[in-house]
Amino acid sequence: MVFGITLGNDIVDMNDARNHSRHADTRFVNKIFTKTEQQQISASDMPDYMVWVLWAAKESAYKIINKRTGKRSYAPFLLEVEMKDVMIAPYLQKESKNIENKDRLDKRRILEGIVSAPDFKIHVQILVTPRFIYCTGCSDISSIKKIEWGIENNSFVSDNDQSLLIRRSAEKHIARSVGKNIEDIRITRDIVEEKPGPPLVYINNEKSKAIDLTLTHDGPYSAYAFIKQQSNFPK
Amino acid sequence: MGTSETPISREAVQAKVLEVVKPFVKDTALLETITDKTDLINDLKVNSARFIDILLDLEDAFKIQINDKEADSMLTIGDAIRIIMSKQVNN
């Protein structure tokens, strides 16, 4: 189980035809979204994208809850997303091949919202491009701007290679962020009850409680996000 | 709660479950080693959105409804078969 500031993220490949027009798929919408969420979809200028904005927010929140409870669960109505704005077009940003750390992004055009869980709230920030939707969620609103993240588009490689590539990029970014060599950083997953647990960061072969990391991938897109837990981070 | 019209054997349920799941598995080599313990998300690399599609397709294929509690417990192929079979018994 993970405590402190906890992150979750999710990326949705909007090139995938199976993700198109799902706002009109009543069974899909009723299976996942609360009435309030369905109203946000109906009120949106881009309902096709709003479905996946809400989905990515829920998925990010799930990851946080799963890290905290140690259990995988399916309970879509336990969580409710409320976006600050239901208009998508004003937030639509251009996609570049790889994006790291919001460098090339217009920060005014990041969608924000809150996911309400029974015991706490999760804050989400969402980047929408024509080809993908990327969400990072954080258990602490005052820390949301401190999240460091990157997105990559690795077409024509296997899922395993994509996973290696995004972990390598995250290791490089973490190394830079904490002033270490990349050889000192390793990302791996513990096996919990015969299943892989959340990704963990090892620094000099020691499991680090100082960094919370989350990974996601869909289609050719993969992404990471991490945050330094200031109270745990060695000076 | 919907139930299927004619009870079918476990083998037939298993075959139909695999038929439903197959289009959602990108790496077809993974299908060759499927057992009851095969985890839909961790082993077959089905993502969460496609997991919902599988739920909907299973509902269509077996003419049943899978509620949230059942979906929450449907981690493996064996779980899916168990849930579907329980609806057969309840018919």
Side-chain angles (χ1 to χ4, degrees), chain B residues 18-42:
Chain B
L18 296 185
E19 202 178 294
V20 166
V21 168
K22 200 174 170 182
F24 298 100
V25 181
K26 211 162 86 177
D27 181 355
T28 48
L30 296 172
L31 293 165
E32 287 164 22
T33 54
I34 281 186
T35 68
D36 275 6
K37 286 186 176 174
T38 301
D39 188 296
L40 289 160
I41 289 176
N42 286 324

Side-chain angles (χ1 to χ4, degrees), chain A residues 16 18-19 22 25 27-28 31-32 52 55 59 72-74 76-77 159 162 195-196 217-219, chain B residues 23-24 26 37 39 41-43 45 47-53 55-56 59-60 66 68 71-72 75:
Chain A
D16 188 335
R18 292 173 298 190
N19 293 339
R22 296 310 287 266
D25 181 346
R27 282 179 68 212
F28 183 81
K31 198 99 184 150
I32 305 162
W52 297 108
W55 170 273
E59 281 293 301
R72 195 169 99 197
S73 64
Y74 171 92
F77 296 104
D159 283 3
Q162 260 191 55
K195 303 292 174 198
H217 113 265
D218 191 23
Chain B
F24 298 100
K26 211 162 86 177
K37 286 186 176 174
D39 188 296
I41 289 176
N42 286 324
D43 297 330
K45 313 292 178 200
N47 76 24
S48 309
R50 299 295 80 87
F51 176 77
I52 304 296
D53 288 331
L55 282 181
L56 294 173
E59 288 185 342
D60 287 342
I66 299 170
D68 287 353
D72 187 34
L75 304 178

Side-chain angles (χ1 to χ4, degrees), chain A residues 66-229:
Chain A
N66 293 352
K67 275 184 192 178
R68 288 178 168 237
T69 61
K71 276 197 261 177
R72 195 169 99 197
S73 64
Y74 171 92
F77 296 104
L78 209 62
L79 304 175
E80 187 162 82
V81 185
E82 192 169 352
M83 298 307 298
K84 283 189 184 165
D85 198 341
V86 294
M87 294 296 128
I88 303 285
Y91 295 89
L92 209 56
Q93 302 213 35
K94 279 185 192 165
E95 178 200 358
S96 53
K97 185 167 177 356
N98 294 329
I99 300 171
E100 188 180 278
N101 224 18
K102 303 162 267 186
D103 290 345
R104 279 160 278 177
L105 299 176
D106 181 345
K107 288 172 192 163
R108 291 165 302 178
R109 291 200 289 157
I110 298 282
L111 269 167
E112 291 180 5
I114 291 172
V115 186
S116 298
D119 302 327
F120 60 104
K121 290 189 188 303
I122 289 151
H123 303 271
V124 292
Q125 51 182 13
I126 301 178
L127 165 65
V128 185
T129 77
R131 292 177 183 276
F132 68 81
I133 289 166
Y134 176 60
C135 175
T136 47
C138 182
S139 58
D140 173 33
I141 193 166
S142 64
S143 302
I144 203 157
K145 302 293 177 200
K146 295 175 191 160
I147 300 170
E148 300 185 59
W149 50 266
I151 302 168
E152 292 186 356
N153 176 353
N154 292 309
S155 303
F156 311 115
V157 299
S158 70
D159 283 3
N160 278 346
D161 286 346
Q162 260 191 55
S163 171
L164 287 174
L165 287 168
I166 198 68
R167 274 189 281 161
R168 191 67 180 160
S169 298
E171 285 165 356
K172 276 186 202 166
H173 194 155
I174 291 168
R176 205 168 56 241
S177 182
V178 303
K180 296 272 183 187
N181 294 320
I182 185 163
E183 295 77 20
D184 299 330
I185 310 292
R186 184 167 53 91
I187 294 169
T188 187
R189 291 177 194 266
D190 282 351
I191 300 297
V192 183
E193 293 172 5
E194 299 180 33
K195 303 292 174 198
L200 298 167
V201 179
Y202 282 73
I203 301 179
N204 295 325
N205 292 322
E206 279 193 28
K207 195 186 291 184
S208 172
K209 289 181 182 169
I211 294 174
D212 189 52
L213 170 75
T214 179
L215 301 171
T216 179
H217 113 265
D218 191 23
Y221 300 104
S222 38
Y224 62 84
F226 69 91
I227 192 161
K228 291 178 274 188
Q229 314 270 6

Side-chain angles (χ1 to χ4, degrees), chain B residues 62-74:
Chain B
F62 292 96
K63 297 185 176 62
I64 55 171
Q65 284 188 358
I66 299 170
N67 65 34
D68 287 353
K69 198 177 168 193
E70 289 160 340
D72 187 34
S73 70
M74 203 175 94

